[in-house]
Amino acid sequence: MRFEFATATRIIFGNGVLAQIGDLVRASGTRALVITGSKAERAARLIDLLSTAGIHTEVYSVADEPTIEDAQAGVNAVRGTHCDVIVSFGGGSVLDAGKAIAALATNEGDPLDYLEVIGKGQPLINPPLPFIAIPTTAGTGAEVTRNAVLKSTAHQVKVSLRSPLMLPKIALVDPELTHTVPPHITATTGMDALTQVLEPFVSVNANPITDAFCREGLRLAGRSLRRTFTHGDDAHAREDMMLVSLLGGLALANAKLGAVHGFAGPLGGMFPAPHGAVCAALLPHVMQANVTALREREPGNPALQRYDEIAVLLTGNPAATIDDALMWITGTRDLLNIPTLETYGISSAHLPDIVAQSAKSSSMKGNPITLTDAEMTDILEQAL
């Protein structure tokens, strides 16, 4: 057995921990670039806390999933304002933007020099600026991952800037920040969080540490994912799902993902489809395809037993099997009103290109079995 595990230097989790941000930032610098989503006013309390602590702030907003151009503009903002610490306050897109900006600000050259797939994939040489990640949704776990997903409009694909140096200095995870997240975002981010504790559990790179995180995450998702959608004011359920998101980030950063995310990257690059919604639409179909392929070609693969364990963890029924897990996931997708892929303009005519792009993704390499082009096409057809 051989594996490694890496994560953020420090993780602070709990209701109300945002109040610590002034002291945390002051330990790293005096001028903070605060990265927010399209509605910067949501970060008003954060700005007030930093101001009270004597931290000068500059605000940079990312309206959507970050593009290469967004990252470069953020780097220009850092250099133009002489900021010495980066604070991201938002969902996964905002956190990814912050990681990319912090890394590129200290490494010369073009972003394409460092990007996977479409770029040169060169390693980062210099450590990024100090980066503090504050998630406001329970979804991606990006506060503890070592990559930043950027969209290339020119290539119509989403790719990663990746380095062990990019792990955040501090992940400040406050479940209270999710209490006002609307139901439709709670639904898609929650399904993403579920996917990210499920895929690493059956990944070819699973290890005992990530297994422990995934087991706890699956149990908590089974208990609280539906509850956060139907009862958004349930603080305990919100806390559970924030922890699922964190555990998923810890797991995927060290054990890879699978075919759901292998499809999600290309789909997000080619169509205006929210990442979590894509994962939710694909999850039951990918799971069924994996199980069928494993039974036919690799019946001794331990992933089959793990799918049974997933069923037990999600349903709480010790006798549950793979079919029960599929029923639970499909029922959850329907309860959460997850749209089909067709909603985003995806049709059968696009499938060959999607399959070709997805086969090259790094996440696809973590899938418990290599899927054929025909199997990948069938997954997409069912999700339309």
Side-chain angles (χ1 to χ4, degrees):
M1 184 183 298
R2 180 176 295 178
F3 61 89
E4 66 173 77
F5 186 87
T7 190
T9 303
R10 185 178 178 190
I11 300 170
I12 303 170
F13 183 99
N15 289 314
V17 296
L18 180 65
Q20 301 178 30
I21 190 61
D23 290 339
L24 296 172
V25 172
R26 196 167 51 227
S28 296
T30 59
R31 298 179 65 86
L33 183 73
V34 176
I35 303 175
T36 72
S38 58
K39 297 182 179 179
E41 61 271 18
R42 291 178 179 168
R45 181 167 176 245
L46 168 65
I47 302 297
D48 287 344
L49 289 167
L50 292 175
S51 178
T52 300
I55 306 296
H56 175 82
T57 60
E58 299 284 345
V59 176
Y60 177 71
S61 296
V62 179
D64 206 342
E65 295 185 348
T67 64
I68 296 173
E69 293 77 15
D70 289 330
Q72 187 59 59
V75 170
N76 295 340
V78 170
R79 293 172 178 167
T81 58
H82 306 290
C83 288
D84 51 12
V85 58
I86 310 295
V87 181
S88 276
F89 182 89
S93 295
V94 174
L95 302 187
D96 277 356
K99 277 185 284 187
I101 292 167
L104 294 171
T106 58
N107 287 271
E108 296 297 328
D110 189 275
L112 284 171
D113 292 338
Y114 307 102
L115 285 170
E116 297 177 347
V117 184
I118 62 172
K120 298 177 182 177
Q122 294 176 354
L124 297 177
I125 302 300
N126 301 314
L129 289 174
F131 174 61
I132 298 176
I134 308 174
T136 61
T137 61
T140 67
E143 66 272 15
V144 288
T145 60
R146 64 182 86 185
N147 71 301
V149 179
L150 299 177
K151 184 174 182 177
S152 170
T153 50
H155 298 84
Q156 288 193 312
V157 69
K158 293 197 297 186
V159 294
S160 279
L161 174 66
R162 191 186 309 272
S163 170
L165 299 175
M166 290 174 60
L167 286 164
K169 182 174 183 179
I170 297 173
L172 190 69
V173 188
D174 187 339
E176 287 183 353
L177 299 176
T178 68
H179 288 195
T180 57
V181 175
H184 71 283
I185 296 178
T186 295
T188 56
T189 55
M191 286 294 285
D192 189 22
L194 168 62
T195 305
Q196 291 178 173
V197 290
L198 191 156
E199 288 200 300
F201 192 57
V202 295
S203 164
V204 296
N205 288 338
N207 68 65
I209 297 177
T210 59
D211 285 350
F213 291 145
C214 290
R215 287 188 175 100
E216 179 65 1
L218 287 161
R219 184 184 71 82
L220 294 174
R223 180 171 78 183
S224 293
L225 173 53
R226 296 180 177 186
R227 180 77 180 174
T228 54
F229 179 74
T230 58
H231 297 77
D233 59 348
D234 187 327
H236 293 296
R238 290 287 191 182
E239 185 177 64
D240 276 357
M241 288 309 299
M242 200 64 156
L243 189 52
V244 173
S245 179
L246 174 65
L247 293 170
L250 292 167
L252 74 88
N254 293 278
K256 284 189 177 292
L257 288 159
V260 173
H261 281 81
F263 284 122
L267 283 167
M270 298 168 69
F271 302 92
H275 175 77
V278 170
C279 291
L282 288 168
L283 180 58
H285 306 300
V286 167
M287 188 170 168
Q288 181 63 74
N290 280 344
V291 169
T292 300
L294 287 165
R295 284 171 171 168
E296 290 177 354
R297 300 198 293 275
E298 298 181 20
N301 192 309
L304 283 171
Q305 292 181 333
R306 288 183 171 236
Y307 278 120
D308 280 332
E309 188 174 353
I310 287 167
V312 173
L313 291 164
L314 288 177
T315 66
N317 176 7
T321 65
I322 291 169
D323 291 338
D324 297 306
L326 284 165
M327 188 179 301
W328 189 93
I329 290 170
T330 301
T332 301
R333 179 201 63 190
D334 294 344
L335 173 68
L336 271 52
N337 299 319
I338 301 297
T340 63
L341 296 183
E342 192 176 34
T343 306
Y344 307 106
I346 303 167
S347 69
S348 297
H350 298 117
L351 301 192
D353 285 343
I354 297 170
V355 169
Q357 291 283 351
S358 300
K360 297 183 290 186
S361 72
S362 60
S363 290
M364 198 66 76
K365 295 176 176 60
N367 206 55
I369 189 169
T370 301
L371 298 172
T372 65
D373 286 359
E375 288 167 335
M376 293 170 67
T377 300
D378 185 58
I379 289 168
L380 293 168
E381 286 177 341
Q382 292 184 64
L384 287 177

